[in-house]
Amino acid sequence: MFNHALQKQGVRPIEVALQPHTRHPHEAAHLRLDISKARQRLDWVPKLELHTALEMTAQWYGGYFNNDNLRQLCEEQIHFFQNLQ
């Protein structure tokens, strides 16, 4: 999904290389992303859908690799986020 968003920004996809098993456990086997506790305890809900967050991240990386005005891009993205309902 993220590589597709990067390609839309004209950025080459990211290649992920899996490392062979080492003596130390990889953190991904121990971490779980779960917002249920935040929803339950804080009544929190995300403002962005996953695909929108990935698109905005890819837009930033596209701007970075294309030497765009990142300050302006960040301000536009902040403005977009602040105006979400």
Side-chain angles (χ1 to χ4, degrees):
M1 186 183 289
F2 187 62
N3 278 335
H4 177 72
L6 285 175
Q7 287 176 324
K8 286 175 58 177
Q9 297 299 319
V11 176
R12 186 177 45 177
I14 295 172
E15 294 181 27
V16 177
L18 300 177
Q19 299 296 320
H21 184 64
T22 62
R23 293 180 338 148
H24 304 288
H26 189 271
E27 67 183 19
H30 304 284
L31 299 176
R32 300 286 182 259
L33 298 177
D34 182 359
I35 65 170
S36 61
K37 190 182 288 185
R39 284 183 193 259
Q40 179 186 15
R41 294 184 180 182
L42 304 173
D43 200 29
W44 179 84
V45 292
K47 283 190 162 192
L48 295 175
E49 298 275 339
L50 176 61
H51 71 275
T52 304
L54 292 174
E55 290 281 341
M56 291 176 73
T57 303
Q59 185 182 29
W60 188 92
Y61 276 102
Y64 174 80
F65 287 116
N66 293 324
N67 293 315
D68 293 342
N69 183 339
L70 292 180
R71 180 185 176 105
Q72 179 181 347
L73 176 58
C74 287
E75 289 174 354
E76 289 170 1
Q77 288 185 339
I78 290 168
H79 180 74
F80 170 80
F81 184 80
Q82 288 176 327
N83 289 302
L84 290 173
Q85 299 297 330

